[in-house]
Amino acid sequence: MSLDVLTIITITPIFTGLILLLMPQILPKEISSNLVKVTRNISMGIALGIFVIATMLFFGFIGDIDWTNIMQGNYVLKNDPFSLISSIGVQWKVGTDALSFPMIWLTTLLIPISMLVEWDAKRGHLFHPLLLIMEGALLGVFVSLDLFVFYVFWELTLIPMFLLILVWGGNDRKYAAMKFFIYTFTASVFMLIGILIMYFHTNPISGLGSMTGHHFDLVEMVAQENLIPSEGLRHFVWILLLVGFATKMPSVPVHTWLPDAHVQAPTAGSMLLAGVMLKMGAYGFLRIAVTLFPESTIVFIPLLIFLGMASLVYGAWVCMGQTNLKRMVAYSSVSHMGLIFLGIATMQPLGIAGALFMMFAHGIISPLLFAVAGAFKHHYHTLEIGSMRGIAHHSPYLSGHMMLGWMASLGLPLMAGFVAEVAILIAFWMEFGWLVMLPALTLVITATYYLTSMQRTIFESDDPHHGILPDTLNGEQPRDITWHENTGMFILGLLTILFGIFPFIFWDMMSSWSTGFVTETLVEAMQNKDTWNSNIDWLMEVLK
Amino acid sequence: MNSLNDIPLDILIPEVIMTIGMLMMIVIPNLGDAKIRLPLTRTHIPVLIGGTRFSLVSNPVIPSIIAIITFASASLMSLVMLLENKTATAPPIIEINQFTSLFSMIFTFALLLTSISAFYRLPSKSDAKIPNDKDTTASKNSKITILMNNRRQVDFYILLLMVGLGMCLVAKSTHLFMLFVCLELASLSSYVLVGFHKESQIGGEAGTKYFIVGSVASAIGIYGMSLLYLWNGNLEIASLTNAWQNMDSLDPFAGIGMGLMLVAFGFKVGAAPFHLATPDAYSGASSPVAGLLATASKAMGFVAMMRILLIITMPESGEEAYWMFALAIISVITMTWGNLAALTSDNPKRMLAYSSVAHAGYMMAALSAIGTGLGDFESNTLILTAIIFHLTILVLFKFGAFMVLTLIENEGSSHTISGLNGLVRRDPIIALSMFIFMLSLAGVPPLSGFLSKLLMINGIINLSAGTGSITSVAVFTWITSVNMIFWLAIAIVINSAISLFYYLRIGLIMFFEDPITDDPLDRAIYLRLTIVLCALLTLLCGIGPLSESLLGIVNEAAQSFLLVR
């Protein structure tokens, strides 16, 4: 049982986080009162170390992996599986591929940035270790190839996030935290039933499941021919899984926990919630539901399109009426997650690659938006969009980041979000023709609400030199953002532009993976669909 | 026919230890320098009982120490017997196998925890003073309380030992009469324990209520047993099983008799609609006793229930047991009622009482899945493993929660939830442990409560998911074709979601309300250590090697139970 790199980057933050959390309780009072600085430096060091490891993995310094050539069904950086609860067939089995690696890299990136943005958080001796535990739990979701362990990590992410909202949240934090926990937990127990039904249809493997004769190994489940014989049951399981994943994503009509959680969560919590936790839903949907039950996915494509369209249009429409900055960004997340469903529904390599890139791009843009909103709250003590005007005068850096983030989110070319939107829309057009008008026109709504609020907060002012300051400042002069907020936002903004101009950094591996995914997994299931084959190569070349 | 003398005592080691403990409890505190004068002489012979007590044994702490040592060694011996796979029978009344050893370990361990917490809940002081005229009313009262507590140490622990004796023998008995007598031994002692604090009105009321309802339930059970005797003429479980299997159609005496016995056991486990006295009893009793009722007493009820349901009345594989439908309905009502009632209760002990009602519902749902007769030996064992595993680890986290309440109760404020306010600021470790217990009760991974709930749902789905039609192509046709037991899994899941609300509320209150006082909690070192140990075990039994080996033990116990048939 030798430890491999994925196990190390998953386990290290959890253990160090727990130790750092317990340290103030064990040490005597005189020492523990000075612990905040030490704790946050250690946390930051570990988070940065893990980020460096993930980056080195990507560039091939560790492991020497050719990321663009991972076929679907193959995993790299696999470990030597060992059993955790062998009597019911649970084992520690990790691995990654082009579907999960961008998410892993994103997680390792966002944790140090959110630590940096909330460098001065109150009760820092608890805040930063909690973020570390969060990192371990999120990485565990993305690396584990055993559904039991996957589920455990899936639920484990709830606890640090629950505490983050509860301890560092806004005024209405109790309600938001409870709603968040109960909503997502309820949804995921339905997913658990789906997983258990699959579990009982697995063939026995020697050495696993001595008591039950079944196992939770995802790779073996995918390899097993005809996992669930009854088609009706297959659809039922697919729907159970969808309930869990769609609630996490979140998709209309189960999205209502998201705005509350976001508005009440601290900045770092919102950043992680929007940046990574929402992607867990899309990731799980692709990794489990679509991979195991491609036929059911094809049967339910109309449902997916309906959910995607509803989220996209409803989210954007509701955004127009929001006066709360964070609530607006939260609903825009709902809207963008709808695009991911549309991308998957195309069942085309381009659409799925677009969905993957959307997951990644939204994972760097929305944390930027939430960091901006958090800084706004921090320095202006309000989130109301109309309550002040002309902040470009008072906080030039803040308004710069705000503009960049909003522009990226509305899909401006040369920004990361644009690549994903275009890919999804092209694939959608190829598959469903003029139906594409609806999502395309929704992007106009997106532009409308962003531009309106931009005009109302950043620029418009009766007095060009002073602007209107909100009442919550009580007449004080607002300051611009602090250096650590500025640095965090600057990195995120830089990456937004970087991945807009050079999307191929991740796009290559995503597109080759999704081509393999479609040909390997979906091609049998979609023999009556041949439109995707002809134009696809040409379009891929164009996008490269 | 065997006589009692034929029973080898080495198969009853925990019971023997407890009996010795009981004798010691009576003898040791009474040792003194009493002498009798031999008639017609001047020689005085010391008889050691009575007179002025020796200073060593006059310490009022002695009974609790004896109890703790007794339960610890009984629990340890049960564990040794369990690991040795000791099996023996003393027909017709007693049988020892892994199942019985596991349960006597559960019972004695719960009793050990009860005595450790009672050590602080019912404190004894060696330097108690007699009140005199100079005292104010308050100091007089406190002195009287101390004296009373000192006086009743022996009563409390002797009752605990009786409960332990009764419970351990319930697990081992293979004769319905024996089973019932031992059940009554444990029950009657626990009625007294509930009303033990007779100076508080609520305690006396709870004890009386619990006694009345409990004795009605027992009376109904005994009536059922007499019907069974009328039917079979013999109350040995093996003979009843045999007669039941050879019965052509359901004999009314047998059916009604079994049903009435289930009422008695349903009261013990807290199944709706016989659960109505449970919340009152729990909230009136002191926390250690309430913890005992919620864990060991419930486990005892389940053992008796399993003997009736899974051994006697279980038909051959493939047939549906006659109680299946009724039990399934009752289980859904029980879990839903328990959870909904827990949502609205402001008293943490009442909340935990309702939550234990809900947990009884989950376990009964799993039992009724076995009753469908769909499963073979392996899948039935799997479900039974889940139930026994749940009963085992329940001692850790349910009792853990009651131990935390014991700490709070010493300040006199455990009847409202505000006693837990801001616990994290007063004592972070205890608050964290309580949070772990709550999450485990709610079934959040990776804690052990999740594993047991998962195994239960797992077992139900294992039996039922295959019954849906294989040829159905649409979701709806599959849903209509599946055995209704499948929906029990969904009911458990929905109920877990409801229950999350009130478990999390405890966490919320501990973390965010302002504490009523800033005084640190009672020091209670051993109780604290036990709480932390329980929290650790709750975590370790959820995932990893410890859970693996515990599951293995429980699985063997379940097999040994089912193999009897």
Side-chain angles (χ1 to χ4, degrees):
Chain A
M1 157 181 157
S2 61
L3 289 180
D4 63 296
V5 62
L6 288 182
T7 307
I8 291 171
I9 64 171
T10 310
I11 298 300
T12 316
I14 293 185
F15 274 99
T16 42
L18 280 178
I19 291 169
L20 289 176
L21 269 187
L22 290 177
M23 199 106 91
Q25 320 298 345
I26 297 163
L27 292 177
K29 274 244 156 51
E30 310 84 69
I31 305 176
S32 61
S33 57
N34 297 323
L35 217 58
V36 177
K37 279 181 187 167
V38 184
T39 312
R40 73 183 179 198
N41 283 330
I42 294 176
S43 311
M44 184 58 132
I46 288 164
L48 278 179
I50 290 171
F51 172 66
V52 169
I53 291 177
T55 316
M56 280 162 75
L57 278 176
F58 179 68
F59 288 110
F61 293 119
I62 302 176
D64 193 22
I65 293 150
D66 183 9
W67 289 100
T68 52
N69 265 329
I70 306 170
M71 290 330 279
Q72 194 272 327
N74 288 338
Y75 299 93
V76 292
L77 298 171
K78 281 187 291 192
N79 72 336
D80 191 13
F82 56 89
S83 71
L84 289 177
I85 310 177
S86 77
S87 49
I88 59 171
V90 179
Q91 52 177 346
W92 178 259
K93 183 170 184 177
V94 295
T96 181
D97 60 2
L99 173 58
S100 58
F101 187 76
M103 292 297 111
I104 293 172
W105 190 76
L106 187 66
T107 311
T108 59
L109 168 77
L110 284 183
I111 294 282
I113 290 184
S114 48
M115 279 180 183
L116 190 65
V117 168
E118 291 234 30
W119 193 238
D120 290 331
K122 285 176 201 159
R123 301 192 212 172
H125 59 294
L126 300 176
F127 189 82
H128 294 99
L130 266 183
L131 286 182
L132 270 188
I133 295 177
M134 185 84 196
E135 170 166 28
L138 288 169
L139 288 176
V141 170
F142 293 125
V143 299
S144 58
L145 295 177
D146 181 283
L147 288 182
F148 186 93
V149 180
F150 171 83
Y151 184 79
V152 167
F153 278 119
W154 177 279
E155 298 289 26
L156 192 62
T157 55
L158 293 184
I159 296 170
M161 184 51 80
F162 175 72
L163 291 174
L164 279 178
I165 297 178
L166 211 48
V167 181
W168 291 271
N171 294 329
D172 210 6
R173 54 183 189 255
K174 283 183 202 162
Y175 170 75
M178 290 287 267
K179 189 171 179 181
F180 162 73
F181 200 110
I182 291 173
Y183 227 105
T184 46
F185 187 86
T186 312
S188 47
V189 284
F190 283 104
M191 177 182 100
L192 178 66
I193 290 191
I195 290 178
L196 287 180
I197 296 178
M198 297 185 322
Y199 171 68
F200 276 110
H201 287 87
T202 53
N203 291 335
I205 300 180
S206 66
L208 269 182
S210 56
M211 209 167 88
T212 57
H214 301 285
H215 60 85
F216 283 102
D217 190 331
L218 180 64
V219 183
E220 296 291 334
M221 281 187 195
V222 175
Q224 188 177 335
E225 288 281 320
N226 206 2
L227 180 64
I228 296 178
S230 159
E231 194 178 348
L233 180 56
R234 226 157 34 215
H235 295 338
F236 185 65
V237 173
W238 190 89
I239 286 179
L240 287 174
L241 293 175
L242 181 75
V243 170
F245 296 134
T247 308
K248 201 75 168 190
M249 268 185 60
S251 154
V252 172
V254 281
H255 65 287
T256 54
W257 62 271
L258 183 80
D260 286 313
H262 267 314
V263 172
Q264 301 303 330
T267 310
S270 296
M271 287 167 70
L272 289 177
L273 198 57
V276 197
M277 278 186 84
L278 304 192
K279 312 306 181 304
M280 279 163 51
Y283 166 79
F285 185 65
L286 275 171
R287 175 69 95 209
I288 299 173
V290 182
T291 312
L292 283 173
F293 308 111
E295 301 91 347
S296 305
T297 317
I298 290 186
V299 168
F300 286 109
I301 277 183
L303 177 68
L304 280 185
I305 293 180
F306 173 74
L307 288 178
M309 288 283 194
S311 311
L312 182 66
V313 177
Y314 175 80
W317 196 257
V318 170
C319 272
M320 298 242 280
Q322 295 304 319
T323 55
N324 185 309
L325 201 57
K326 269 192 166 179
R327 204 166 258 275
M328 185 184 86
V329 181
Y331 274 112
S332 88
S333 289
V334 174
S335 173
H336 283 110
M337 290 297 112
L339 271 178
I340 292 182
F341 263 157
L342 293 185
I344 296 172
T346 60
M347 289 284 160
Q348 299 223 11
L350 184 62
I352 290 176
L356 293 187
F357 202 78
M358 189 68 183
M359 283 159 68
F360 177 73
H362 185 260
I364 46 179
I365 296 170
S366 65
L368 175 59
L369 296 176
F370 279 111
V372 166
F376 192 78
K377 167 91 178 163
H378 188 208
H379 295 289
Y380 289 85
H381 309 297
T382 180
L383 282 169
E384 289 299 307
I385 291 174
S387 71
M388 67 142 324
R389 310 223 154 148
I391 61 167
H393 176 78
H394 298 287
S395 312
Y397 282 113
L398 178 62
S399 37
H401 292 305
M402 199 183 254
M403 267 189 73
L404 181 81
W406 287 0
M407 287 298 181
S409 187
L410 66 81
L412 204 68
L414 292 187
M415 304 268 197
F418 175 71
V419 181
E421 280 177 15
V422 164
I424 291 173
L425 290 183
I426 291 176
F428 200 78
W429 178 74
M430 282 158 50
E431 195 65 29
F432 303 108
W434 291 107
L435 202 58
V436 78
M437 288 311 286
L438 195 57
L441 286 177
T442 311
L443 297 181
V444 179
I445 307 182
T446 314
T448 315
Y449 63 77
Y450 273 131
L451 290 177
T452 316
S453 18
M454 199 182 296
Q455 180 210 16
R456 288 173 68 194
T457 42
I458 302 181
F459 300 119
E460 186 181 279
S461 160
D462 297 334
D463 179 354
H465 297 296
H466 292 96
I468 300 172
L469 293 177
D471 302 336
T472 43
L473 274 176
N474 291 327
E476 291 171 37
Q477 279 298 308
R479 286 156 296 143
D480 204 348
I481 47 181
T482 52
W483 65 268
H484 45 81
E485 286 168 339
N486 205 349
T487 320
M489 291 177 205
F490 184 73
I491 296 170
L492 287 175
L494 203 66
L495 286 174
T496 309
I497 297 172
L498 183 75
F499 282 99
I501 300 177
F502 307 110
F504 57 82
I505 301 175
F506 276 143
W507 176 267
D508 280 357
M509 60 194 262
M510 286 171 179
S511 65
S512 76
W513 184 85
S514 26
T515 313
F517 183 65
V518 171
T519 49
E520 293 288 321
T521 309
L522 304 179
V523 80
E524 277 182 45
M526 44 184 290
Q527 270 155 0
N528 51 350
K529 292 167 178 273
D530 45 12
T531 48
W532 58 274
N533 216 358
S534 52
N535 297 324
I536 200 70
D537 297 334
W538 176 77
L539 265 163
M540 302 285 275
E541 285 305 315
V542 167
L543 272 159
K544 277 180 184 173
Chain B
M1 190 57 96
N2 293 36
S3 72
L4 200 60
N5 295 333
D6 298 335
I7 299 177
L9 277 185
D10 68 321
I11 64 171
L12 289 176
I13 295 173
E15 287 81 359
V16 171
I17 291 176
M18 278 187 271
T19 317
I20 294 173
M22 210 183 300
L23 289 176
M24 276 163 64
M25 192 92 75
I26 296 168
V27 172
I28 290 183
N30 285 318
L31 292 179
D33 59 356
K35 291 177 178 140
I36 49 169
R37 185 170 64 91
L38 278 183
L40 308 174
T41 60
R42 283 179 182 277
T43 35
H44 291 257
I45 300 171
V47 289
L48 296 179
I49 302 281
T52 313
R53 294 192 290 164
F54 300 126
S55 61
L56 194 67
V57 296
S58 67
N59 192 337
V61 83
I62 289 229
S64 52
I65 289 175
I66 293 175
I68 288 173
I69 292 173
T70 310
F71 287 129
S73 43
S75 182
L76 205 68
M77 285 318 292
S78 310
L79 182 64
V80 170
M81 282 168 75
L82 178 62
L83 295 180
E84 277 182 354
N85 293 345
K86 203 171 181 77
T87 49
T89 49
I93 54 166
I94 282 182
E95 161 199 55
I96 313 287
N97 53 26
Q98 280 116 308
F99 176 81
T100 62
S101 305
L102 177 65
F103 269 95
S104 47
M105 192 188 80
I106 295 174
F107 297 144
T108 43
F109 189 69
L111 282 157
L112 175 66
L113 296 184
T114 314
S115 359
I116 292 175
S117 21
F119 185 77
Y120 297 99
R121 177 68 184 91
L122 191 75
S124 56
K125 288 215 170 61
S126 52
D127 55 347
K129 302 218 169 44
I130 299 162
N132 51 31
D133 295 340
K134 290 173 193 165
D135 284 324
T136 59
T137 326
S139 64
K140 196 182 253 172
N141 281 346
S142 75
K143 276 181 178 173
I144 289 176
T145 313
I146 290 170
L147 281 172
M148 272 176 72
N149 278 344
N150 281 355
R151 278 298 293 241
R152 57 189 177 186
Q153 291 285 324
V154 178
D155 313 3
F156 187 83
Y157 291 107
I158 278 193
L159 283 171
L160 275 190
L161 283 167
M162 303 272 241
V163 172
L165 212 52
M167 281 177 173
C168 288
L169 286 173
V170 166
K172 287 172 187 172
S173 49
T174 53
H175 193 287
L176 271 193
F177 192 73
M178 168 85 174
L179 192 145
F180 217 91
V181 168
C182 299
L183 194 93
E184 281 309 298
L185 176 65
S187 305
L188 284 169
S189 316
S190 65
Y191 301 146
V192 184
L193 283 175
V194 167
F196 196 77
H197 286 268
K198 54 179 180 287
E199 67 271 21
S200 89
Q201 216 171 1
I202 186 168
E205 186 196 323
T208 317
K209 211 180 243 176
Y210 195 51
F211 169 66
I212 292 173
V213 181
S215 46
V216 169
S218 303
I220 293 174
I222 289 179
Y223 180 56
M225 206 162 81
S226 62
L227 288 182
L228 286 182
Y229 190 73
L230 204 57
W231 166 62
N232 190 32
N234 188 349
L235 288 177
E236 278 174 49
I237 286 181
S239 145
L240 282 171
T241 314
N242 212 1
W244 191 279
Q245 303 300 341
N246 297 329
M247 194 165 57
D248 296 330
S249 61
L250 188 61
D251 191 295
F253 279 133
I256 296 172
M258 289 298 173
L260 293 181
M261 290 210 76
L262 282 185
V263 172
F265 302 145
F267 168 76
K268 277 281 139 213
V269 302
F274 318 116
H275 71 284
L276 292 168
T278 322
D280 287 326
Y282 284 34
S283 60
S286 62
S287 290
V289 176
L292 183 69
L293 294 184
T295 55
S297 188
K298 178 183 293 278
M300 176 179 74
F302 264 105
V303 171
M305 216 171 192
M306 286 190 285
R307 289 248 186 241
I308 298 257
L309 295 182
L310 302 187
I311 301 291
I312 300 180
T313 62
M314 189 67 203
E316 291 297 312
S317 171
E319 288 171 50
E320 197 169 274
Y322 87 109
W323 40 264
M324 193 282 288
F325 193 75
L327 196 71
I329 297 290
I330 287 181
S331 74
V332 173
I333 294 174
T334 305
M335 63 177 100
T336 317
W337 193 334
N339 276 325
L340 291 182
L343 278 181
T344 57
S345 47
D346 261 347
N347 179 341
K349 282 200 290 195
R350 272 190 109 78
M351 188 213 88
L352 283 174
Y354 279 121
S355 107
S356 84
V357 170
H359 278 264
Y362 303 150
M363 285 185 273
M364 276 162 36
L367 272 182
S368 55
I370 301 183
T372 54
L374 292 169
D376 49 0
F377 182 75
E378 272 75 34
S379 45
N380 285 348
T381 314
L382 188 63
I383 299 180
L384 194 62
T385 306
I387 298 171
I388 302 177
F389 186 71
H390 191 75
L391 288 171
T392 313
I393 54 170
L394 206 58
V395 178
L396 297 176
F397 49 84
K398 185 103 208 206
F399 214 117
F402 276 111
M403 284 195 287
V404 174
L405 288 185
T406 307
L407 269 182
I408 312 270
E409 204 169 50
N410 279 352
E411 304 171 344
S413 60
S414 79
H415 287 301
T416 52
I417 210 156
S418 56
L420 288 164
N421 278 2
L423 192 63
V424 75
R425 262 174 265 173
R426 299 171 59 196
D427 203 316
I429 299 262
I430 296 296
L432 195 70
S433 310
M434 186 72 171
F435 193 52
I436 288 179
F437 297 144
M438 288 298 128
L439 289 184
S440 183
L441 280 170
V444 176
L447 301 168
S448 49
F450 166 69
L451 188 60
S452 68
K453 206 176 270 183
L454 176 108
L455 284 171
M456 273 190 255
I457 300 174
N458 212 337
I460 296 175
I461 287 178
N462 183 17
L463 286 186
S464 58
T467 61
S469 101
I470 295 193
T471 51
S472 66
V473 284
V475 178
F476 189 72
T477 48
W478 186 83
I479 283 179
T480 48
S481 70
V482 73
N483 190 306
M484 74 147 209
I485 213 78
F486 179 77
W487 300 106
L488 286 182
I490 305 276
I492 293 180
V493 160
I494 292 174
N495 267 290
S496 311
I498 299 174
S499 71
L500 203 57
F501 182 80
Y502 57 85
Y503 292 128
L504 281 186
R505 194 176 57 177
I506 296 269
L508 233 62
I509 282 166
M510 288 191 305
F511 285 107
F512 299 99
E513 297 291 331
D514 288 325
I516 297 175
T517 59
D518 276 335
D519 305 337
L521 285 175
D522 207 349
R523 271 184 72 236
I525 302 163
Y526 296 110
L527 185 52
R528 260 155 208 269
L529 275 179
T530 320
I531 290 173
V532 173
L533 188 74
C534 280
L536 250 142
L537 283 176
T538 305
L539 187 64
L540 290 179
C541 290
I543 199 160
L546 193 62
S547 65
E548 171 67 48
S549 47
L550 186 60
L551 260 182
I553 290 173
V554 171
N555 192 25
E556 278 177 22
Q559 276 177 10
S560 73
F561 178 76
L562 283 180
L563 272 178
V564 169
R565 292 191 71 222

